[in-house]
């Protein structure tokens, strides 16, 4: 079946390798339960010869697909006919060269770039994936959908579901979501169910609910979502004049982004559209550092798809025995059983990737710097700059290397963390407000103090 199609689904487990048409909707291989991938027969797709050909579509942006920062690259995610493609203007994001922050952290001018995905319609990178997954949902005629979320997925799902006229339920861990994100899910009209548990509990429940009730699942287990997230990398290349950076730095939670980025670069290399692949640095929070533990300490590897499952199953059993629940101020990445683990291991192999974990203190300090010198971001996104600091100190990343950090979410998603950091004056870069009597003399005196 596969050789006749432009695109098809394939199980990533080499022992299974089952293939399915894109017109079917599963979130796991129905034969063995492993993750599904989208594969392309590139010889059946008219892929532009040069990456810069995609950039020419800026001039035809009155065409809704050329306007979308995802569908502008449509031949590289060619799994559904145009008539089903959904767009609400996602992907109008920017790559900011940030020399002030570069200098502050000891990098050379021109080296550091921040890819601000907070500029998406729902304020996070998730919209890149949702536009792709909802296009697939429309293609298969889905009427009702669901997701588990630490917040951003639920906001993006709620927004796109409403746009597509699909009913939507979101599951969030009680007390585990930033207020900006919760407010979006409610405002966009999603049925919001708060489960007394953490994200991993919600993830488990939502899979059971989707199986039992036949709902369309929108977590990053959904392979079509990751196809959309590949375009974040295309836009970074575009922002660099179609040149390849030395490093991509990304926060690691459920590991959908890192998986998608590895796939994107592997495909571009295969197509001859790039001549080298950047290295990938994935940054966990220390309070939710499963990937860091498994890769660095327990030596878990992709190994051509023959992943040693005992290594991570033993680790998860240890977490269960300890009744472990992850905790970090970067609530978006407060995840201890990442569903895309295997695909992420593949991305690490493709991109010669590395993993580090950073403390909440390092995250909030880095967030303040990104706010001061850049466009701001939410806590999880700041793990990138905190991780970059670690990798510069280790001399793994050199000050003159070209680095692109993916700032995954908008600075207004989690104002509580920001206000607490500055208000309490406890952080290295806190900038607390000063109270003053309602008196002109006193106000002027206070202003002349520094
Ligand atoms: N950054 C932000 C702002 C996020 O919302 C997430 C994930 C991540 C990073 C981690 O990305 O899962 O691809 O490794 N948020 C999910 C959610 C889990 O439910 O909103 P990942």
């Amino acid at each position: 079946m596969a050789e006749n199609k432009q695109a098809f689904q394939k199980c990533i487990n080499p022992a299974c390798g089952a293939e399915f048409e894109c017109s079917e909707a599963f979130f796991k291989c129905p034969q063995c339960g492993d993750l599904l991938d989208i594969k392309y027969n590139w010889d059946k797709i008219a892929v532009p010869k040069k990456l810069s050909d995609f950039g020419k579509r800026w001039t035809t942006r009155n065409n809704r697909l050329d306007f979308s920062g995802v569908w502008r690259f449509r031949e590289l995610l060619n799994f559904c006919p145009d008539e089903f493609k959904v767009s609400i203007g996602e992907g109008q994001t920017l790559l900011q060269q940030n020399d002030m922050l570069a200098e502050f952290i000891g990098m050379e001018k021109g080296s550091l770039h921040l890819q601000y995905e907070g500029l998406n319609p729902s304020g996070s990178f998730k919209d890149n994936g949702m536009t792709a997954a909802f296009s697939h949902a429309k293609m298969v005629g889905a009427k009702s959908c669901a997701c588990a979320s630490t917040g951003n997925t639920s906001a993006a799902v709620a927004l796109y579901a409403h746009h597509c006229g699909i009913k939507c339920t979101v599951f969030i861990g009680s007390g585990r979501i930033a207020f900006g994100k919760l407010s979006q899910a409610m405002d966009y009209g999603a049925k919001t169910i708060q489960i007394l548990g953490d994200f991993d509990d919600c993830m488990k429940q939502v899979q059971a609910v989707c199986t039992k009730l036949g709902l369309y699942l929108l977590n990053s287990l959904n392979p079509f979502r990751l196809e959309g997230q590949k375009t974040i990398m295309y836009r970074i290349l575009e922002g660099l004049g179609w040149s390849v950076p030395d490093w991509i730095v990304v926060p690691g939670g459920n590991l959908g982004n890192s998986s998608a980025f590895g796939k994107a670069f592997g495909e571009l290399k295969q197509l001859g559209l790039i001549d080298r692949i950047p290295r990938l640095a994935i940054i966990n929070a220390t309070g939710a550092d499963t990937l860091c533990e498994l890769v660095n300490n327990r030596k878990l590897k992709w190994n051509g798809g023959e992943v040693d499952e005992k290594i991570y199953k033993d680790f998860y059993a240890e977490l269960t025995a300890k009744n472990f629940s992850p905790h970090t101020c970067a609530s978006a990445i407060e995840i201890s059983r990442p569903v895309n683990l295997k695909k992420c291991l593949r991305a690490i192999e493709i991109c010669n990737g590395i993993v580090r974990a950073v403390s909440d203190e390092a995250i909030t300090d880095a967030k303040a710097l990104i706010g001061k010198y850049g466009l701001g971001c939410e806590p999880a996104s700041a793990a990138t700059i905190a991780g970059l600091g670690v990798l510069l100190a280790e001399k793994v990343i050199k000050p003159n290397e070209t680095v692109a950090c993916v700032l995954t979410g908008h600075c207004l998603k989690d104002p509580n963390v920001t206000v607490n950091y500055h208000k309490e004056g406890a952080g290295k870069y806190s900038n607390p407000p000063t109270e003053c009597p309602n008196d002109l003399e006193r106000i002027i005196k206070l202003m002349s103090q520094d």
Side-chain angles (χ1 to χ4, degrees):
M1 168 255 289
E3 61 274 14
N4 304 320
K5 301 277 170 188
Q6 292 187 335
F8 58 98
Q9 306 187 66
K10 186 175 171 77
C11 175
I12 66 160
N13 176 0
C16 171
E19 293 177 359
F20 308 94
E21 303 220 1
C22 288
S23 54
E24 297 194 84
F26 314 110
F27 51 87
K28 277 182 172 178
C29 173
Q31 291 186 15
C32 77
D34 218 322
L35 296 168
L36 289 168
D37 231 0
I38 308 305
K39 293 276 187 193
Y40 300 98
N41 285 314
W42 295 112
D43 55 343
K44 297 201 180 334
I45 301 171
V47 179
K49 294 278 169 292
K50 304 186 297 301
L51 279 175
S52 57
D53 291 344
F54 291 107
K56 293 193 181 130
R57 289 178 175 160
W58 282 97
T59 58
T60 47
R61 53 202 277 119
N62 54 345
N63 168 341
R64 71 183 186 105
L65 296 183
D66 288 351
F67 180 73
S68 165
V70 172
W71 297 116
R72 190 144 49 82
F73 300 97
R74 52 193 169 272
E75 289 83 359
L76 299 172
L77 53 152
N78 197 22
F79 60 80
C80 92
D82 285 357
E83 66 195 274
F84 296 113
K85 286 183 182 138
V86 177
S87 175
I88 53 173
E90 58 288 322
Q92 310 301 321
T93 59
L94 57 85
L95 184 73
Q96 182 193 37
Q97 180 181 314
N98 195 318
D99 290 343
M100 278 195 288
L101 182 53
E103 193 186 341
F104 192 89
I105 63 172
M107 292 192 77
E108 284 180 16
K109 202 173 165 195
S111 311
L112 178 62
H113 300 78
L114 306 178
Q115 174 68 19
Y116 191 33
E117 287 298 311
L119 295 176
N120 273 294
S122 79
S124 85
F125 74 90
K126 302 285 178 183
D127 298 351
N128 294 286
M130 293 311 164
T131 191
F134 273 95
S135 300
H136 180 250
K138 273 181 55 183
M139 182 166 117
V140 301
K143 297 278 179 291
S144 188
C145 69
C147 70
S149 185
T150 57
N152 282 325
T153 299
S154 59
V157 166
L159 187 60
Y160 278 85
H162 187 240
H163 178 79
C164 297
I166 296 177
K167 209 175 139 210
C168 134
T169 310
V170 306
F171 294 84
I172 54 181
S174 197
R176 304 288 194 125
I177 182 171
F179 260 41
K181 306 174 189 181
L182 178 60
S183 67
Q184 286 179 289
M186 297 187 300
D187 215 28
Y188 299 148
K191 184 172 183 63
T192 304
I193 298 184
Q194 291 187 282
I195 292 189
L196 298 171
D198 58 24
F199 173 82
D200 299 301
D201 298 319
C202 293
M203 193 64 235
K204 204 169 150 192
Q205 293 297 357
V206 77
Q207 290 181 62
V209 167
C210 286
T211 306
K212 257 196 147 78
L213 304 181
L215 305 188
Y216 189 90
L217 181 85
L218 281 148
N219 283 98
S220 51
L221 274 176
N222 181 322
F224 295 95
R225 234 191 78 180
L226 300 191
E227 292 306 292
Q229 289 171 217
K230 293 191 304 192
T231 64
I232 302 169
M233 294 301 103
Y234 309 152
R235 295 198 301 273
I236 287 181
L237 298 179
E238 185 174 38
L240 294 171
W242 305 109
S243 69
V244 179
D246 297 308
W247 289 91
I248 300 289
V249 188
V250 63
N254 226 0
L255 306 178
N257 264 339
S258 42
S259 300
F261 299 171
K263 186 170 189 282
F265 287 119
E267 290 172 351
L268 290 182
K269 183 86 191 332
Q270 186 195 345
L271 287 164
L273 291 168
I274 54 172
D275 54 10
R276 68 186 178 94
I277 291 179
R279 295 191 67 186
L280 187 62
I282 306 166
I283 315 297
N284 277 162
T286 43
D289 62 352
T290 291
L291 185 71
C292 194
E293 168 66 21
L294 290 175
V295 170
N296 294 342
N297 297 338
R298 306 195 184 206
K299 309 296 173 208
L300 187 66
K301 288 191 175 60
W302 170 243
N303 195 25
E306 312 273 351
V307 176
D308 185 347
E309 294 187 355
K310 187 170 180 314
I311 295 181
Y312 69 82
K313 285 186 177 160
D314 284 355
F315 178 63
Y316 291 167
E318 286 170 32
L319 294 184
T320 306
K322 282 195 288 196
N323 214 358
F324 178 84
S325 184
H327 280 287
T328 164
C329 71
S331 56
I333 52 173
E334 197 181 58
I335 296 170
S336 63
R337 290 170 176 76
V339 297
N340 287 300
L341 177 63
K342 281 194 182 179
K343 284 187 180 174
C344 175
L345 295 172
R346 181 176 66 180
I348 289 173
E349 189 174 288
I350 294 172
C351 300
N352 189 13
I354 52 173
V355 188
R356 293 290 183 275
V358 291
S359 67
D360 278 10
E361 195 186 348
I363 288 174
T364 46
D365 285 342
K367 194 179 104 55
L369 291 175
I370 296 164
K372 185 171 179 186
Y373 295 118
L375 301 167
C377 65
E378 68 164 283
S381 315
T384 54
I385 290 294
L388 176 57
V390 170
L391 293 165
L392 285 166
E394 289 177 4
K395 299 193 178 358
V396 173
I397 296 185
K398 315 263 178 324
N400 63 349
E401 287 187 296
T402 307
V403 176
C405 293
V406 184
L407 302 185
T408 44
H410 199 279
C411 63
L412 295 176
K413 286 278 189 176
D414 193 347
N416 287 17
V417 167
T418 312
V419 171
N420 288 338
Y421 178 85
H422 289 295
K423 194 181 68 186
E424 287 162 12
K428 238 199 247 175
Y429 310 113
S430 292
N431 177 27
T434 316
E435 264 195 38
C436 182
N438 185 12
D439 175 276
L440 183 61
E441 293 292 309
R442 299 281 293 273
I443 293 171
I444 290 176
K445 189 161 172 232
L446 193 68
M447 287 173 71
S448 61
Q449 266 174 11
D450 46 19

